[in-house]
């Protein structure tokens, strides 16, 4: 039976010594039965730092917003890899003792954010495995659209999997290519389709990989002591006093080792498909993502929204915390006073990240409290970043009404989300998306507000610095760069054909 108790898995493997030692505490929760489709996470790695585990812990804490379900760290002392993973937030998983036991001058860390039904300790990363090439630990942010197909192929060949993550499939492919005359990692990556920012930890190096479309961010930095590091977001560098050096380019492998930082290309970069939702909601506002400061993008989105859908009102109220930056921009452009009217409870996590619907519903009740004097008898503009299922927003609008708001004008700083994401953001199947089969007017009615406007697709793309065709906006437009329904398998069971849309 599944259990609510946090479960810690440890795995310690020695290679190069006289004997192999594996210790593995079985999870007390039941293994998942359903293949998992999505991984939305944060990764961090550092090479050559005496206090690697401590640095990784701090950096992962800074990237906590990218995943709250589980956390893990794998380190190497040059000979042996060791990892420690568990369910929960970074400070819940690690303490002084566990960090001290993670001896080594290099390592990688992972924050995991999973979908409904797949909350499972056995899937926590980094995933550490022993294979013919030695030990490897892998941390993954993204989603492989052909993972199921690859896994099926390997299972038919007799491979046994112990988790339901995409990441384990990658390790099996790597192992199968170990004896190649070429570069095993490059050969492994050639099989992957979809979004992946990956860190591989070997005993003598970290390999940082970004998919050829650059769906998810991945950046290289340097600590004050000159050690190379790699992160999902620059906020991790700020937290450890490191500086940003450059992005890992789409289709590139960056190696961090005693030889410093070296790069090699494994695939031609495709026309970029940076996830626009990193800017709208997912990334930390203080991070540089895809060459833009996230906070400034969000303020511009709010300004643009004010231009596109002006309204006569007494004050602009941000939906904390996700709508705050856009609300600032809206207030600035419209000249309407900015007021905090909704107070968040900082100790309740992001509602979507609670794995089940009932947990999410309870969290919404706890999460926000309205300040009656700010909204009573007022015409208010409420600004939020997005609407997904609509359930949270409806609850919030009810609270505002009960507190006496005279008029509620809801403004959303992105277009209606009508399509599922197959590339790493947890948007459910389209039937659960409020905008998938409703008009804006029907959504307005459902939410019970006086007016509702979403930012236009064009307006949104006018707020980022890179060319507009370099962003993936498929959740709004339905125009996918890769066809997730027809993933490719280069391993023999060629049942499907890759279809490029661009
Ligand atoms: P709902 O009304 O239930 O669709 O919830 C809307 C709220 O969910 C907004 O305040 C968003 O900031 C937030 N949100 C949007 N996308 C996500 C996501 N992928 N994970 C968690 N929260 C999200």
């Amino acid at each position: 039976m599944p259990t609510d108790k946090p479960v810690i898995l440890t795995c310690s493997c020695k290679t190069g010594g006289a004997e192999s030692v594996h210790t593995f505490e079985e999870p007390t929760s039941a293994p998942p039965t359903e293949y998992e489709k999505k991984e939305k996470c944060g990764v961090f790695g550092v090479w050559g730092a005496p206090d690697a585990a401590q640095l990784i812990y701090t950096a992962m804490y800074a990237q906590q917003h990218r995943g709250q379900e589980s956390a893990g760290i794998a380190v190497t002392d040059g000979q042996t890899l060791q990892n420690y993973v568990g369910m929960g937030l970074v400070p819940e998983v690690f303490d002084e003792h566990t960090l001290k036991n993670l001896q080594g001058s290099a390592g990688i860390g992972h924050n995991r954010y999973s979908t409904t039904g797949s909350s499972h300790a056995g899937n926590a990363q980094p995933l550490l495995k022993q294979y013919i090439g030695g030990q490897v630990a892998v941390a993954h942010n993204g989603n492989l659209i052909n993972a199921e197909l690859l896994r099926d192929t390997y299972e038919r060949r007799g491979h046994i999997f112990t988790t339901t993550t995409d990441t384990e499939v990658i390790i099996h492919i790597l192992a199968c290519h170990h004896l190649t005359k070429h570069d095993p990692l490059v050969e492994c990556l050639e099989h992957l389709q979809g979004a992946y920012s990956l860190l591989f930890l070997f005993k003598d190096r970290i390999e940082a990989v970004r998919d050829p479309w650059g769906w998810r961010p991945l950046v290289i930095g340097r600590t004050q002591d000159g050690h190379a590091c790699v992160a999902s977001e620059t906020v991790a560098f700020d937290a450890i006093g490191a500086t940003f050096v450059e992005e890992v380019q789409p289709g590139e492998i960056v190696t961090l080792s005693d030889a410093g930082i070296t790069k090699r290309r494994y695939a031609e970069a495709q026309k970029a498909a940076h996830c626009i939702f990193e800017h709208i909601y997912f990334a930390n506002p203080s991070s540089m993502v895809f060459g833009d400061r996230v906070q400034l993008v969000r303020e511009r989105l709010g300004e643009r929204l004010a231009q596109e859908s002006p309204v006569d009102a007494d004050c602009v109220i941000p939906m904390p915390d996700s709508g705050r930056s856009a609300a600032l921009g809206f207030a600035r452009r419209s000249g309407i006073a900015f007021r905090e009217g909704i107070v968040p409870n900082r100790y309740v996590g992001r509602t979507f990240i609670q794995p089940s619907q009932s947990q999410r519903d309870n969290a919404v009740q706890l999460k926000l409290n309205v300040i009656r004097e700010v909204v009573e008898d007022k015409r208010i503009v409420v600004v939020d970043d997005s609407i997904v299922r609509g359930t949270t927003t409806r609850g919030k609008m009810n609270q505002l009404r009960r507190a006496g708001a005279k008029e509620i004008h809801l403004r959303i700083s992105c277009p209606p989300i009508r399509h599922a994401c197959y590339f790493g953001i947890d948007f459910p199947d389209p039937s659960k998306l409020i905008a998938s089969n409703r008009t804006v007017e029907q959504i307005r009615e459902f939410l019970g507000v006086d007016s509702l406007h979403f930012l236009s697709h064009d307006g949104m793309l006018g707020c980022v610095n890179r060319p507009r065709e370099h962003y993936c906006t498929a959740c709004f437009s339905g125009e996918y760069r890769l066809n997730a329904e027809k993933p490719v398998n280069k391993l023999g069971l060629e049942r499907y054909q890759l279809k490029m849309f661009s």
Side-chain angles (χ1 to χ4, degrees):
M1 285 296 288
T3 170
D4 289 342
K5 263 180 64 189
V7 179
I8 303 296
L9 284 178
T10 63
C11 176
S12 150
C13 316
K14 292 192 192 302
T15 52
E19 223 181 320
S20 284
V21 181
H22 300 262
T23 54
F24 201 79
E25 272 175 40
E26 283 297 327
T28 51
S29 46
T33 50
E34 194 184 295
Y35 188 74
E36 184 178 324
K37 298 246 184 334
K38 294 182 177 119
E39 305 272 337
K40 303 137 292 290
C41 312
V43 296
F44 179 82
V46 63
W47 191 265
D51 214 1
Q54 186 64 51
L55 279 182
I56 298 167
Y57 169 82
T58 308
M60 286 165 57
Y61 217 144
Q63 295 192 135
Q64 186 74 80
H65 59 285
R66 294 190 72 86
Q68 302 174 339
E69 185 192 277
S70 69
I73 295 177
V75 291
T76 174
D77 59 9
Q79 289 302 316
T80 306
L81 267 60
Q82 197 195 343
N83 81 338
Y84 189 93
V85 301
M87 299 300 282
L89 302 175
V90 174
E92 290 167 354
V93 172
F94 294 97
D95 57 25
E96 243 176 85
H97 177 72
T98 47
L99 286 175
K100 216 163 143 202
N101 281 344
L102 286 166
Q103 294 285 333
S105 59
I108 60 175
H110 189 263
N111 305 85
R112 182 157 189 274
Y113 161 170
S114 93
T115 48
T116 308
S118 57
S119 176
H120 178 253
N123 285 339
Q125 298 185 26
L127 199 59
L128 172 56
K129 294 284 176 189
Q130 173 88 37
Y131 77 115
I132 185 171
Q135 286 180 292
V136 62
V138 184
H140 177 203
N141 171 211
N143 184 57
L144 301 181
I145 58 171
N146 65 343
E148 214 162 338
L149 194 57
L150 291 169
R151 186 188 173 100
D152 181 55
T153 307
Y154 279 94
E155 282 183 335
R156 282 161 193 262
R157 291 177 175 187
H159 290 234
I160 294 164
F161 289 83
T162 57
T163 75
T164 57
T165 62
D166 295 4
T167 316
E168 193 178 6
V169 182
I170 300 169
I171 297 177
H172 280 252
I173 305 175
L174 182 68
C176 285
H177 287 86
H178 177 66
L179 296 176
T180 175
K181 288 197 193 82
H182 307 289
D183 183 331
L185 183 57
V186 169
E187 296 225 344
C188 164
L189 297 172
E190 280 172 1
H191 295 287
L192 309 185
Q193 288 290 315
Y196 51 92
S197 283
L198 283 165
L199 298 185
F200 293 82
L201 176 69
F202 298 94
K203 66 178 182 180
D204 58 349
R205 67 194 187 284
I206 292 171
E207 304 268 29
V209 180
R210 197 159 171 221
D211 67 64
W213 295 267
W215 250 290
R216 301 281 141 221
L218 194 62
V219 284
I220 300 290
R222 260 198 206 283
T223 68
Q224 278 160 342
D225 299 328
H227 306 303
C229 48
V230 55
S232 292
E233 288 184 35
T234 59
V235 66
F237 297 155
D238 298 338
I240 60 166
T243 46
F244 167 74
V245 176
E246 61 187 338
E247 279 185 71
V248 176
Q249 291 303 314
E252 191 175 64
I253 302 172
V254 177
T255 307
L256 283 50
S257 72
D258 288 346
I261 298 176
T262 54
K263 301 176 195 172
R264 65 192 191 278
R265 179 159 285 288
Y266 72 94
E268 281 305 306
Q270 301 290 320
K271 188 168 86 186
H274 303 319
C275 169
I276 194 87
F277 213 69
E278 290 275 351
H279 276 308
I280 288 163
Y281 170 79
F282 203 54
N284 184 292
S286 65
S287 285
M288 284 294 288
V289 170
F290 312 138
D292 264 306
R293 184 72 65 190
V294 176
Q295 168 71 15
L296 302 187
V297 172
R298 290 183 188 166
E299 287 184 25
R300 291 198 288 270
L301 292 167
E303 289 185 21
R304 190 75 183 226
L305 190 57
Q307 264 177 296
E308 287 187 7
S309 51
V311 57
D312 201 12
D314 300 313
C315 56
V316 173
I317 295 180
M319 192 53 77
D321 288 312
S322 54
R324 186 167 284 118
S325 323
L328 266 176
F330 193 105
R332 190 160 56 221
R333 178 53 59 101
S334 63
I336 303 172
F338 178 91
R339 293 203 64 184
E340 294 279 1
I342 306 169
V343 182
N345 178 338
R346 301 205 186 281
Y347 304 97
V348 181
R350 285 182 173 199
T351 53
F352 269 53
I353 295 167
Q354 312 299 321
S356 79
Q357 185 64 46
S358 63
Q359 280 171 287
R360 276 200 287 272
D361 291 345
N362 290 339
V364 174
Q365 296 305 312
L366 256 181
K367 203 176 172 183
L368 299 167
N369 214 2
V370 174
I371 304 172
R372 177 172 284 275
E373 290 74 8
V374 175
V375 304
E376 198 166 28
D377 291 327
K378 301 276 181 358
R379 298 165 305 159
I380 60 174
V381 183
V382 180
V383 180
D384 203 357
D385 68 291
S386 58
I387 302 179
V388 184
R389 295 172 176 84
T391 46
T392 322
T393 310
R394 186 180 164 142
K396 292 168 189 170
M397 297 305 117
N398 268 335
Q399 274 181 280
L400 289 165
R401 245 346 147 197
R402 284 201 301 271
K406 192 160 78 186
E407 287 175 23
I408 303 175
H409 302 279
L410 182 59
R411 298 292 179 268
I412 304 295
S413 63
C414 73
I417 299 169
R418 300 190 196 278
H419 306 274
C421 175
Y422 304 104
F423 302 97
I425 296 282
D426 178 16
F427 291 149
D429 72 79
S431 67
K432 302 222 170 69
L433 295 169
I434 179 102
S436 73
N437 54 4
R438 287 183 185 80
T439 62
V440 172
E441 175 53 20
Q442 285 169 330
I443 302 171
R444 184 198 67 72
E445 250 176 61
F446 172 81
L447 298 175
V449 293
D450 296 277
S451 76
L452 169 67
H453 278 278
F454 290 87
L455 185 62
S456 68
H457 195 262
D458 248 25
M460 172 181 72
L461 287 171
C463 297
V464 281
N465 280 325
R466 292 194 173 158
R468 46 184 66 210
E469 63 277 13
H470 287 190
Y471 294 87
C472 176
T473 59
C475 52
F476 307 115
S477 65
E479 287 169 26
Y480 295 96
R481 280 307 164 77
L482 288 179
N483 188 346
E485 304 299 317
K486 294 185 178 169
V488 74
N489 181 358
K490 294 187 180 173
L491 291 172
L493 295 180
E494 297 277 11
R495 290 182 294 174
Y496 302 101
Q497 227 187 344
L498 176 70
K499 188 167 168 208
M500 304 290 293
F501 282 97
S502 60

